[in-house]
Coordinates of all heavy atoms in Angstrom, one line a residue:
M1 N 9.6 1.1 8.5 CA 9.1 1.7 7.3 C 7.6 1.5 7.2 O 6.9 2.5 6.8 CB 9.8 1.1 6.0 CG 9.3 1.8 4.8 SD 10.4 1.3 3.4 CE 9.2 0.8 2.2
A2 N 7.1 0.4 7.5 CA 5.7 0.1 7.4 C 4.9 1.0 8.3 O 3.8 1.6 7.9 CB 5.4 -1.4 7.7
N3 N 5.3 1.3 9.5 CA 4.6 2.2 10.4 C 4.6 3.6 9.8 O 3.6 4.3 9.9 CB 5.2 2.2 11.8 CG 4.9 0.9 12.5 OD1 3.8 0.4 12.4 ND2 5.8 0.3 13.2
W4 N 5.7 4.0 9.3 CA 5.8 5.4 8.7 C 4.9 5.5 7.5 O 4.2 6.5 7.4 CB 7.3 5.6 8.3 CG 7.5 7.0 7.8 CD1 7.6 8.2 8.5 CD2 7.6 7.4 6.4 NE1 7.8 9.2 7.7 CE2 7.8 8.8 6.4 CE3 7.5 6.7 5.2 CZ2 7.9 9.5 5.2 CZ3 7.6 7.4 4.0 CH2 7.8 8.8 4.0
L5 N 4.9 4.4 6.7 CA 4.0 4.5 5.5 C 2.5 4.5 5.9 O 1.7 5.2 5.4 CB 4.2 3.3 4.6 CG 5.5 3.4 3.7 CD1 5.7 2.1 3.0 CD2 5.3 4.5 2.7
A6 N 2.1 3.7 6.9 CA 0.8 3.7 7.4 C 0.4 5.1 7.9 O -0.7 5.6 7.7 CB 0.6 2.7 8.6
W7 N 1.3 5.8 8.6 CA 1.1 7.1 9.1 C 0.9 8.1 7.9 O 0.0 8.9 7.9 CB 2.2 7.5 10.0 CG 2.2 9.0 10.4 CD1 1.3 9.6 11.3 CD2 3.1 10.0 10.0 NE1 1.6 10.9 11.4 CE2 2.7 11.2 10.7 CE3 4.2 10.0 9.2 CZ2 3.4 12.4 10.5 CZ3 4.9 11.2 9.0 CH2 4.5 12.3 9.7
K8 N 1.8 8.0 6.9 CA 1.7 8.9 5.8 C 0.4 8.7 5.0 O -0.3 9.6 4.6 CB 2.9 8.7 4.8 CG 4.2 9.1 5.4 CD 4.2 10.6 5.8 CE 4.4 11.5 4.6 NZ 4.5 12.9 4.9
F9 N 0.0 7.4 4.8 CA -1.2 7.2 4.0 C -2.4 7.6 4.9 O -3.4 8.1 4.3 CB -1.4 5.7 3.7 CG -0.7 5.2 2.5 CD1 0.5 4.5 2.5 CD2 -1.3 5.5 1.2 CE1 1.1 4.1 1.3 CE2 -0.7 5.1 0.0 CZ 0.5 4.4 0.1
S10 N -2.4 7.5 6.2 CA -3.5 7.9 7.0 C -3.7 9.4 7.1 O -4.7 9.9 7.5 CB -3.3 7.4 8.4 OG -3.5 6.0 8.4
E11 N -2.6 10.2 6.8 CA -2.7 11.6 6.8 C -3.6 12.2 5.8 O -4.3 13.2 6.0 CB -1.3 12.3 6.5 CG -0.4 12.3 7.7 CD 0.9 13.1 7.3 OE1 1.4 13.0 6.2 OE2 1.4 13.7 8.2
G12 N -3.7 11.5 4.6 CA -4.6 11.9 3.6 C -6.1 11.6 3.8 O -6.4 11.0 4.9
E13 N -6.9 11.9 2.9 CA -8.4 11.7 3.1 C -8.8 10.4 2.5 O -9.9 9.9 2.8 CB -9.1 12.9 2.5 CG -8.8 14.2 3.1 CD -9.8 15.3 2.8 OE1 -10.9 14.9 2.3 OE2 -9.5 16.4 3.1
V14 N -8.0 9.8 1.7 CA -8.4 8.5 1.0 C -8.3 7.3 1.9 O -9.2 6.5 1.9 CB -7.7 8.4 -0.3 CG1 -8.1 7.1 -1.0 CG2 -7.9 9.6 -1.2
F15 N -7.2 7.2 2.6 CA -6.8 5.9 3.3 C -6.7 6.2 4.8 O -5.7 5.7 5.4 CB -5.6 5.3 2.7 CG -5.7 4.9 1.3 CD1 -4.9 5.6 0.3 CD2 -6.6 4.0 0.8 CE1 -5.0 5.2 -1.0 CE2 -6.7 3.7 -0.5 CZ -5.9 4.3 -1.4
Q16 N -7.6 6.9 5.4 CA -7.5 7.1 6.8 C -7.7 5.8 7.5 O -8.5 5.0 7.2 CB -8.6 8.1 7.3 CG -8.3 9.5 6.7 CD -9.4 10.5 7.1 OE1 -10.5 10.1 7.6 NE2 -9.2 11.7 6.9
G17 N -6.9 5.6 8.6 CA -7.0 4.4 9.3 C -6.2 3.2 8.8 O -6.4 2.1 9.1
A18 N -5.1 3.5 8.0 CA -4.3 2.4 7.5 C -3.6 1.7 8.7 O -3.2 2.3 9.6 CB -3.2 3.0 6.6
K19 N -3.6 0.4 8.6 CA -3.1 -0.4 9.7 C -1.9 -1.3 9.2 O -1.9 -1.8 8.1 CB -4.2 -1.3 10.3 CG -5.3 -0.5 10.9 CD -6.2 -1.3 11.7 CE -7.3 -0.6 12.4 NZ -7.4 0.7 12.6
V20 N -1.0 -1.6 10.1 CA 0.2 -2.4 9.8 C -0.1 -3.8 10.4 O -0.5 -4.0 11.5 CB 1.5 -1.9 10.4 CG1 2.6 -2.8 10.2 CG2 1.8 -0.5 9.9
L21 N 0.1 -4.8 9.5 CA -0.1 -6.2 9.9 C 1.2 -6.9 9.6 O 1.8 -6.8 8.5 CB -1.2 -6.9 9.1 CG -2.6 -6.1 9.1 CD1 -3.5 -6.7 8.1 CD2 -3.2 -6.2 10.5
G22 N 1.7 -7.8 10.5 CA 2.8 -8.6 10.3 C 2.5 -9.8 9.4 O 1.5 -10.4 9.6
E23 N 3.3 -10.1 8.5 CA 3.2 -11.2 7.6 C 4.5 -12.0 7.6 O 5.5 -11.5 8.0 CB 2.9 -10.8 6.2 CG 1.5 -10.1 6.0 CD 0.4 -11.1 6.1 OE1 0.6 -12.3 6.0 OE2 -0.8 -10.6 6.3
D24 N 4.4 -13.3 7.1 CA 5.7 -14.1 7.1 C 6.7 -13.6 6.1 O 7.9 -13.8 6.2 CB 5.4 -15.6 6.9 CG 4.6 -15.8 5.6 OD1 4.2 -14.8 4.9 OD2 4.5 -17.0 5.2
W25 N 6.2 -12.8 5.1 CA 7.1 -12.2 4.1 C 7.6 -10.8 4.4 O 8.4 -10.2 3.7 CB 6.5 -12.3 2.7 CG 5.1 -11.8 2.7 CD1 3.9 -12.5 2.8 CD2 4.6 -10.4 2.7 NE1 2.8 -11.7 2.8 CE2 3.2 -10.4 2.7 CE3 5.3 -9.2 2.7 CZ2 2.5 -9.2 2.7 CZ3 4.5 -8.0 2.6 CH2 3.1 -8.1 2.7
G26 N 7.0 -10.2 5.4 CA 7.4 -8.8 5.8 C 6.2 -8.1 6.4 O 5.6 -8.7 7.3
W27 N 5.9 -6.9 6.0 CA 4.8 -6.1 6.6 C 3.7 -5.7 5.6 O 4.1 -5.4 4.5 CB 5.4 -4.8 7.3 CG 6.3 -5.1 8.3 CD1 7.7 -5.2 8.2 CD2 6.0 -5.5 9.7 NE1 8.3 -5.6 9.4 CE2 7.3 -5.8 10.3 CE3 4.9 -5.7 10.4 CZ2 7.3 -6.1 11.6 CZ3 4.9 -6.0 11.7 CH2 6.2 -6.3 12.3
C28 N 2.5 -5.7 6.0 CA 1.4 -5.4 5.2 C 0.8 -4.1 5.7 O 0.4 -4.1 6.9 CB 0.3 -6.5 5.1 SG -1.2 -6.0 4.3
V29 N 0.7 -3.0 4.9 CA 0.0 -1.8 5.3 C -1.4 -1.9 4.7 O -1.5 -1.6 3.5 CB 0.8 -0.5 4.9 CG1 0.0 0.7 5.3 CG2 2.2 -0.5 5.4
M30 N -2.4 -2.3 5.5 CA -3.7 -2.4 4.9 C -4.3 -1.0 4.8 O -4.6 -0.3 5.7 CB -4.6 -3.3 5.9 CG -6.0 -3.5 5.4 SD -6.1 -4.4 3.8 CE -5.4 -6.0 4.3
L31 N -4.6 -0.6 3.5 CA -5.2 0.7 3.2 C -6.7 0.7 3.3 O -7.3 1.6 3.8 CB -4.7 1.1 1.8 CG -3.2 1.2 1.6 CD1 -2.9 1.6 0.2 CD2 -2.6 2.2 2.6
Q32 N -7.3 -0.4 2.8 CA -8.7 -0.6 2.9 C -9.1 -2.0 2.8 O -8.3 -2.8 2.2 CB -9.4 0.2 1.8 CG -9.2 -0.4 0.4 CD -9.9 0.4 -0.7 OE1 -10.1 1.6 -0.6 NE2 -10.4 -0.3 -1.7
R33 N -10.2 -2.4 3.3 CA -10.8 -3.8 3.2 C -12.0 -3.8 2.3 O -12.3 -4.8 1.7 CB -11.1 -4.3 4.6 CG -9.8 -4.5 5.4 CD -10.2 -5.4 6.6 NE -9.1 -5.5 7.5 CZ -8.2 -6.5 7.4 NH1 -8.3 -7.4 6.5 NH2 -7.2 -6.5 8.3
K34 N -12.7 -2.7 2.2 CA -13.9 -2.7 1.4 C -13.8 -1.5 0.5 O -13.3 -0.4 0.9 CB -15.1 -2.5 2.3 CG -15.3 -3.7 3.2 CD -16.7 -4.0 3.4 CE -16.8 -5.2 4.4 NZ -17.4 -6.3 4.0
P35 N -14.3 -1.5 -0.7 CA -15.1 -2.6 -1.3 C -14.2 -3.8 -1.8 O -14.7 -4.9 -2.2 CB -15.7 -2.0 -2.6 CG -14.8 -0.9 -2.9 CD -14.2 -0.4 -1.6
F36 N -12.8 -3.7 -1.7 CA -11.9 -4.8 -1.9 C -10.6 -4.5 -1.1 O -10.3 -3.3 -0.8 CB -11.6 -4.9 -3.4 CG -11.0 -3.7 -4.0 CD1 -9.7 -3.4 -4.0 CD2 -11.9 -2.7 -4.6 CE1 -9.2 -2.3 -4.6 CE2 -11.4 -1.6 -5.2 CZ -10.0 -1.3 -5.2
P37 N -9.9 -5.5 -0.7 CA -8.7 -5.3 0.0 C -7.6 -4.6 -0.9 O -7.4 -5.0 -2.1 CB -8.2 -6.7 0.4 CG -9.4 -7.5 0.3 CD -10.3 -6.9 -0.8
L38 N -7.0 -3.6 -0.4 CA -6.0 -2.8 -1.1 C -4.9 -2.6 0.0 O -5.2 -2.1 1.1 CB -6.5 -1.5 -1.6 CG -5.5 -0.6 -2.3 CD1 -5.0 -1.2 -3.6 CD2 -6.1 0.8 -2.6
W39 N -3.7 -3.0 -0.3 CA -2.6 -2.9 0.6 C -1.3 -2.7 0.0 O -1.1 -2.8 -1.2 CB -2.6 -4.1 1.5 CG -2.6 -5.5 0.8 CD1 -3.7 -6.2 0.4 CD2 -1.5 -6.3 0.5 NE1 -3.3 -7.4 -0.2 CE2 -2.0 -7.4 -0.1 CE3 -0.1 -6.1 0.7 CZ2 -1.1 -8.5 -0.6 CZ3 0.7 -7.2 0.2 CH2 0.2 -8.3 -0.4
V40 N -0.3 -2.2 0.9 CA 1.1 -2.0 0.5 C 1.9 -3.1 1.2 O 1.8 -3.2 2.4 CB 1.6 -0.6 0.8 CG1 3.0 -0.5 0.5 CG2 0.8 0.4 0.0
G41 N 2.7 -3.8 0.5 CA 3.6 -4.8 1.1 C 5.0 -4.1 1.3 O 5.4 -3.4 0.4
C42 N 5.6 -4.3 2.4 CA 6.9 -3.8 2.7 C 7.8 -4.9 3.2 O 7.4 -5.7 4.0 CB 6.9 -2.7 3.8 SG 5.8 -1.4 3.5
G43 N 9.0 -4.9 2.8 CA 10.0 -5.9 3.3 C 11.4 -5.5 3.0 O 11.6 -4.8 2.1
N44 N 12.3 -6.1 3.8 CA 13.7 -5.8 3.5 C 14.1 -6.6 2.3 O 13.6 -7.7 2.0 CB 14.6 -6.0 4.7 CG 14.6 -7.4 5.2 OD1 13.6 -8.2 5.0 ND2 15.6 -7.8 5.8
R45 N 15.1 -6.1 1.5 CA 15.5 -6.7 0.3 C 16.9 -7.4 0.6 O 17.7 -6.9 1.3 CB 15.7 -5.7 -0.8 CG 14.3 -5.1 -1.2 CD 14.5 -4.1 -2.2 NE 15.3 -4.6 -3.3 CZ 15.4 -4.1 -4.5 NH1 14.7 -3.0 -4.8 NH2 16.2 -4.6 -5.4
F46 N 17.1 -8.5 -0.1 CA 18.3 -9.3 0.0 C 18.8 -9.6 1.4 O 20.0 -9.5 1.6 CB 19.4 -8.5 -0.8 CG 18.9 -8.0 -2.2 CD1 18.8 -6.7 -2.5 CD2 18.6 -9.0 -3.2 CE1 18.3 -6.3 -3.7 CE2 18.2 -8.6 -4.4 CZ 18.0 -7.2 -4.7
D47 N 17.9 -9.8 2.3 CA 18.2 -10.1 3.7 C 19.1 -9.1 4.4 O 19.9 -9.4 5.2 CB 18.9 -11.5 3.8 CG 18.0 -12.6 3.4 OD1 16.8 -12.5 3.7 OD2 18.5 -13.6 2.8
T48 N 18.9 -7.8 4.0 CA 19.6 -6.7 4.6 C 18.6 -5.9 5.5 O 17.4 -6.1 5.4 CB 20.2 -5.7 3.6 OG1 19.1 -5.1 2.9 CG2 21.1 -6.4 2.6
T49 N 19.1 -5.1 6.4 CA 18.2 -4.3 7.2 C 18.2 -2.8 6.8 O 17.6 -2.0 7.4 CB 18.7 -4.3 8.7 OG1 20.0 -3.9 8.8 CG2 18.5 -5.7 9.2
D50 N 19.0 -2.5 5.7 CA 19.1 -1.1 5.3 C 18.5 -0.9 3.9 O 18.7 0.2 3.3 CB 20.5 -0.6 5.4 CG 21.5 -1.3 4.6 OD1 21.1 -2.4 4.0 OD2 22.6 -0.8 4.4
E51 N 18.0 -1.9 3.3 CA 17.4 -1.7 1.9 C 16.0 -2.4 1.9 O 15.8 -3.5 2.3 CB 18.3 -2.4 0.9 CG 17.8 -2.1 -0.5 CD 18.8 -2.6 -1.6 OE1 20.0 -2.9 -1.2 OE2 18.3 -2.8 -2.7
W52 N 15.0 -1.5 1.6 CA 13.6 -2.0 1.7 C 12.9 -1.8 0.3 O 13.3 -1.0 -0.5 CB 12.9 -1.1 2.7 CG 13.3 -1.4 4.1 CD1 14.4 -1.0 4.7 CD2 12.6 -2.3 5.0 NE1 14.5 -1.5 6.0 CE2 13.4 -2.3 6.2 CE3 11.5 -3.0 5.0 CZ2 13.0 -3.0 7.3 CZ3 11.1 -3.7 6.1 CH2 11.9 -3.7 7.3
G53 N 11.9 -2.6 0.1 CA 11.1 -2.5 -1.1 C 9.6 -2.5 -0.7 O 9.3 -2.9 0.5
A54 N 8.8 -1.9 -1.5 CA 7.4 -1.8 -1.3 C 6.6 -2.0 -2.6 O 7.1 -1.6 -3.7 CB 7.1 -0.5 -0.6
F55 N 5.4 -2.5 -2.5 CA 4.6 -2.7 -3.7 C 3.1 -2.6 -3.3 O 2.7 -2.8 -2.1 CB 4.8 -4.1 -4.3 CG 4.6 -5.2 -3.4 CD1 3.4 -5.8 -3.2 CD2 5.7 -5.6 -2.6 CE1 3.3 -6.9 -2.3 CE2 5.5 -6.7 -1.7 CZ 4.3 -7.3 -1.6
V56 N 2.3 -2.2 -4.2 CA 0.8 -2.1 -4.0 C 0.1 -3.3 -4.6 O 0.4 -3.7 -5.7 CB 0.3 -0.8 -4.7 CG1 -1.2 -0.7 -4.6 CG2 1.0 0.5 -4.1
T57 N -0.9 -3.8 -3.8 CA -1.6 -5.0 -4.3 C -3.1 -4.7 -4.0 O -3.5 -4.3 -2.9 CB -1.2 -6.2 -3.6 OG1 0.2 -6.5 -3.9 CG2 -2.0 -7.4 -4.0
A58 N -4.0 -5.1 -5.0 CA -5.4 -5.1 -4.8 C -5.9 -6.5 -4.9 O -5.4 -7.3 -5.8 CB -6.1 -4.2 -5.8
E59 N -6.9 -6.9 -4.2 CA -7.5 -8.2 -4.2 C -9.0 -8.2 -4.4 O -9.7 -8.7 -3.5 CB -7.1 -9.0 -3.0 CG -5.6 -9.2 -2.9 CD -5.2 -10.0 -1.7 OE1 -5.9 -9.9 -0.6 OE2 -4.2 -10.7 -1.7
P60 N -9.5 -7.7 -5.5 CA -11.0 -7.7 -5.7 C -11.4 -9.1 -6.1 O -10.7 -9.8 -6.7 CB -11.2 -6.7 -6.8 CG -9.9 -6.8 -7.6 CD -8.8 -7.0 -6.6
N61 N -12.7 -9.4 -5.7 CA -13.2 -10.7 -6.2 C -13.5 -10.6 -7.7 O -13.5 -9.5 -8.2 CB -14.4 -11.2 -5.4 CG -15.6 -10.3 -5.5 OD1 -15.9 -9.9 -6.6 ND2 -16.3 -10.1 -4.4
L62 N -13.6 -11.7 -8.4 CA -13.8 -11.7 -9.8 C -15.0 -10.8 -10.3 O -14.9 -10.1 -11.2 CB -13.9 -13.1 -10.3 CG -14.0 -13.3 -11.8 CD1 -12.8 -12.7 -12.5 CD2 -14.2 -14.8 -12.2
L63 N -16.1 -11.0 -9.6 CA -17.3 -10.2 -10.0 C -17.1 -8.7 -9.9 O -17.4 -7.9 -10.8 CB -18.5 -10.7 -9.2 CG -19.8 -10.0 -9.6 CD1 -20.2 -10.3 -11.1 CD2 -21.0 -10.6 -8.7
Y64 N -16.5 -8.3 -8.8 CA -16.2 -6.9 -8.6 C -15.2 -6.4 -9.6 O -15.4 -5.3 -10.2 CB -15.6 -6.6 -7.2 CG -15.5 -5.2 -6.9 CD1 -16.6 -4.5 -6.3 CD2 -14.4 -4.4 -7.2 CE1 -16.6 -3.2 -6.0 CE2 -14.4 -3.0 -6.9 CZ -15.4 -2.4 -6.3 OH -15.4 -1.1 -6.1
K65 N -14.2 -7.2 -10.0 CA -13.2 -6.8 -11.0 C -13.9 -6.7 -12.3 O -13.5 -5.7 -13.1 CB -12.1 -7.8 -11.0 CG -10.9 -7.4 -11.8 CD -9.8 -8.4 -11.7 CE -8.6 -7.9 -12.5 NZ -7.4 -8.8 -12.3
I66 N -14.8 -7.6 -12.7 CA -15.5 -7.5 -14.0 C -16.3 -6.2 -14.0 O -16.3 -5.5 -15.0 CB -16.3 -8.7 -14.2 CG1 -15.4 -9.9 -14.5 CG2 -17.3 -8.5 -15.4 CD1 -16.1 -11.3 -14.5
R67 N -17.1 -6.0 -13.0 CA -18.0 -4.8 -13.0 C -17.3 -3.5 -12.7 O -17.8 -2.5 -13.2 CB -19.1 -5.0 -11.9 CG -20.0 -6.1 -12.2 CD -21.1 -6.2 -11.2 NE -22.1 -7.1 -11.6 CZ -23.1 -7.5 -10.9 NH1 -23.3 -6.9 -9.7 NH2 -24.0 -8.4 -11.3
H68 N -16.3 -3.5 -12.0 CA -15.6 -2.2 -11.5 C -14.1 -2.2 -11.8 O -13.4 -1.6 -11.0 CB -15.9 -2.0 -10.0 CG -17.3 -2.0 -9.7 ND1 -18.2 -1.0 -9.9 CD2 -18.1 -3.0 -9.1 CE1 -19.4 -1.3 -9.5 NE2 -19.4 -2.5 -9.0
G69 N -13.7 -2.8 -12.8 CA -12.3 -2.9 -13.1 C -11.6 -1.5 -13.2 O -10.5 -1.4 -12.7
A70 N -12.3 -0.5 -13.8 CA -11.7 0.8 -13.9 C -11.5 1.4 -12.5 O -10.5 2.1 -12.2 CB -12.6 1.7 -14.7
D71 N -12.4 1.1 -11.6 CA -12.3 1.7 -10.2 C -11.1 1.0 -9.5 O -10.4 1.7 -8.8 CB -13.5 1.4 -9.4 CG -14.7 2.2 -9.9 OD1 -14.5 3.2 -10.5 OD2 -15.9 1.7 -9.6
V72 N -10.9 -0.3 -9.7 CA -9.8 -1.0 -9.1 C -8.5 -0.4 -9.6 O -7.6 -0.1 -8.8 CB -9.8 -2.5 -9.4 CG1 -8.6 -3.2 -8.9 CG2 -11.1 -3.1 -8.7
K73 N -8.4 -0.2 -10.9 CA -7.2 0.3 -11.5 C -6.9 1.7 -11.0 O -5.8 2.1 -10.7 CB -7.3 0.4 -13.0 CG -6.1 0.9 -13.7 CD -6.1 0.8 -15.2 CE -5.0 1.4 -16.0 NZ -3.9 2.0 -15.3
R74 N -8.0 2.6 -10.9 CA -7.8 3.9 -10.4 C -7.3 3.9 -9.0 O -6.4 4.7 -8.6 CB -9.2 4.6 -10.5 CG -9.1 6.1 -10.0 CD -10.5 6.8 -10.1 NE -11.6 6.0 -9.5 CZ -11.8 6.0 -8.2 NH1 -11.1 6.7 -7.4 NH2 -12.8 5.3 -7.7
M75 N -7.8 3.0 -8.1 CA -7.4 3.0 -6.7 C -5.9 2.5 -6.6 O -5.1 3.0 -5.8 CB -8.3 2.1 -5.9 CG -9.7 2.6 -5.7 SD -9.7 4.2 -4.8 CE -9.3 3.6 -3.2
V76 N -5.6 1.5 -7.4 CA -4.2 1.0 -7.4 C -3.2 2.0 -7.9 O -2.2 2.3 -7.3 CB -4.1 -0.3 -8.2 CG1 -2.6 -0.7 -8.4 CG2 -4.8 -1.5 -7.5
D77 N -3.6 2.7 -9.0 CA -2.7 3.7 -9.6 C -2.6 4.9 -8.6 O -1.5 5.4 -8.4 CB -3.3 4.2 -10.9 CG -3.2 3.2 -12.0 OD1 -2.5 2.2 -11.9 OD2 -3.8 3.5 -13.1
G78 N -3.6 5.2 -7.9 CA -3.5 6.3 -6.9 C -2.7 5.9 -5.7 O -1.8 6.7 -5.3
A79 N -2.8 4.7 -5.2 CA -2.0 4.3 -4.1 C -0.5 4.2 -4.5 O 0.4 4.5 -3.8 CB -2.5 2.9 -3.6
F80 N -0.3 3.7 -5.8 CA 1.1 3.6 -6.3 C 1.7 5.0 -6.4 O 2.9 5.1 -6.0 CB 1.1 2.9 -7.6 CG 2.4 2.6 -8.2 CD1 3.2 1.6 -7.7 CD2 2.9 3.4 -9.2 CE1 4.5 1.4 -8.2 CE2 4.2 3.2 -9.7 CZ 5.0 2.2 -9.2
Q81 N 1.0 5.9 -6.9 CA 1.5 7.3 -7.0 C 1.8 7.9 -5.6 O 2.9 8.5 -5.4 CB 0.5 8.2 -7.7 CG 0.3 7.8 -9.1 CD 0.6 8.9 -10.1 OE1 0.7 10.1 -9.8 NE2 0.8 8.5 -11.3
M82 N 0.9 7.7 -4.6 CA 1.1 8.1 -3.3 C 2.4 7.5 -2.7 O 3.2 8.1 -2.1 CB -0.1 7.9 -2.4 CG -1.3 8.7 -2.8 SD -2.8 8.2 -2.0 CE -2.5 8.9 -0.4
L83 N 2.5 6.2 -2.9 CA 3.6 5.4 -2.4 C 4.9 6.0 -2.9 O 5.9 6.2 -2.2 CB 3.5 3.9 -2.7 CG 4.7 3.0 -2.3 CD1 4.9 3.0 -0.8 CD2 4.5 1.6 -2.9
G84 N 5.0 6.2 -4.2 CA 6.1 6.8 -4.9 C 6.5 8.1 -4.2 O 7.7 8.4 -4.0
G85 N 5.5 9.0 -4.0 CA 5.8 10.3 -3.4 C 6.3 10.1 -2.0 O 7.3 10.8 -1.6
Y86 N 5.8 9.2 -1.2 CA 6.2 9.0 0.2 C 7.7 8.4 0.2 O 8.5 8.9 1.0 CB 5.3 8.0 0.9 CG 3.9 8.6 1.1 CD1 2.8 7.7 1.1 CD2 3.6 9.9 1.1 CE1 1.5 8.1 1.2 CE2 2.3 10.4 1.2 CZ 1.3 9.5 1.3 OH 0.0 9.9 1.4
L87 N 8.0 7.5 -0.7 CA 9.3 7.0 -0.8 C 10.3 8.0 -1.2 O 11.5 8.0 -0.7 CB 9.4 5.7 -1.7 CG 8.6 4.5 -1.2 CD1 8.6 3.4 -2.2 CD2 9.0 4.1 0.2
R88 N 9.9 8.9 -2.1 CA 10.8 10.0 -2.5 C 11.1 10.9 -1.3 O 12.2 11.3 -1.0 CB 10.3 10.8 -3.6 CG 10.5 10.2 -5.0 CD 10.1 11.1 -6.1 NE 8.7 11.3 -6.2 CZ 7.8 10.5 -6.7 NH1 8.2 9.3 -7.2 NH2 6.5 10.8 -6.8
Q89 N 10.1 11.2 -0.5 CA 10.2 12.0 0.8 C 11.2 11.3 1.7 O 12.1 11.9 2.3 CB 8.9 12.1 1.5 CG 8.0 13.1 0.9 CD 6.7 13.2 1.7 OE1 6.6 12.7 2.8 NE2 5.7 13.8 1.1
L90 N 11.1 10.0 1.8 CA 11.9 9.2 2.7 C 13.4 9.2 2.2 O 14.3 9.4 3.0 CB 11.4 7.7 2.8 CG 12.1 6.8 3.8 CD1 11.9 7.4 5.2 CD2 11.5 5.4 3.7
S91 N 13.6 9.1 0.9 CA 15.0 9.1 0.4 C 15.6 10.5 0.5 O 16.8 10.7 0.6 CB 15.0 8.6 -1.0 OG 14.4 9.5 -1.9
D92 N 14.7 11.5 0.5 CA 15.2 12.9 0.6 C 15.5 13.3 2.0 O 16.0 14.4 2.3 CB 14.2 13.9 0.0 CG 14.1 13.8 -1.6 OD1 15.1 13.2 -2.1 OD2 13.1 14.2 -2.1
G93 N 15.1 12.5 3.0 CA 15.3 12.7 4.4 C 14.2 13.5 5.1 O 14.4 14.1 6.2
D94 N 13.0 13.6 4.5 CA 11.9 14.4 5.1 C 11.2 13.6 6.1 O 11.1 12.4 6.1 CB 10.9 14.8 4.0 CG 11.5 15.9 3.1 OD1 12.6 16.5 3.5 OD2 11.0 16.1 2.0

């Protein structure tokens, strides 16, 4: 799922070059590193191999968040909306 999501995010103009990184909790789809890290976490749920979950996370430093909080929110909301659309495609079999 993580590779497919990285491919889907990379198709658009906002997150070209999304990369998949292995983590001890699952897979990280790194969408951007600058001006702050923004990524999608993917992992199987309940120790199964046929049920997956995904979430969007941003990690701006405190100063950036204070100065550009609206930008952080806009990027997270946009990535979340894109993720929802991609997951609907996946569940529809596209």
Side-chain angles (χ1 to χ4, degrees):
M1 182 170 131
N3 287 320
W4 184 81
L5 283 173
W7 172 68
K8 293 300 284 184
F9 274 104
S10 292
E11 281 186 327
E13 298 196 12
V14 179
F15 300 116
Q16 293 179 347
K19 298 194 180 339
V20 176
L21 308 169
E23 294 287 344
D24 58 350
W25 46 262
W27 299 97
C28 171
V29 180
M30 184 60 69
L31 302 177
Q32 69 178 33
R33 292 191 184 273
K34 299 216 182 235
F36 57 88
L38 179 65
W39 49 275
V40 174
C42 303
N44 60 333
R45 296 177 48 162
F46 311 114
D47 294 325
T48 66
T49 58
D50 61 349
E51 188 173 339
W52 291 78
F55 56 91
V56 176
T57 299
E59 296 179 330
N61 66 40
L62 182 59
L63 184 57
Y64 190 90
K65 190 172 182 178
I66 290 170
R67 291 185 174 175
H68 305 284
D71 293 337
V72 174
K73 181 175 178 356
R74 182 179 51 79
M75 293 296 289
V76 169
D77 289 348
F80 183 77
Q81 295 237 342
M82 292 171 77
L83 175 62
Y86 299 149
L87 293 177
R88 278 188 293 283
Q89 286 178 11
L90 188 61
S91 69
D92 292 342
D94 294 343

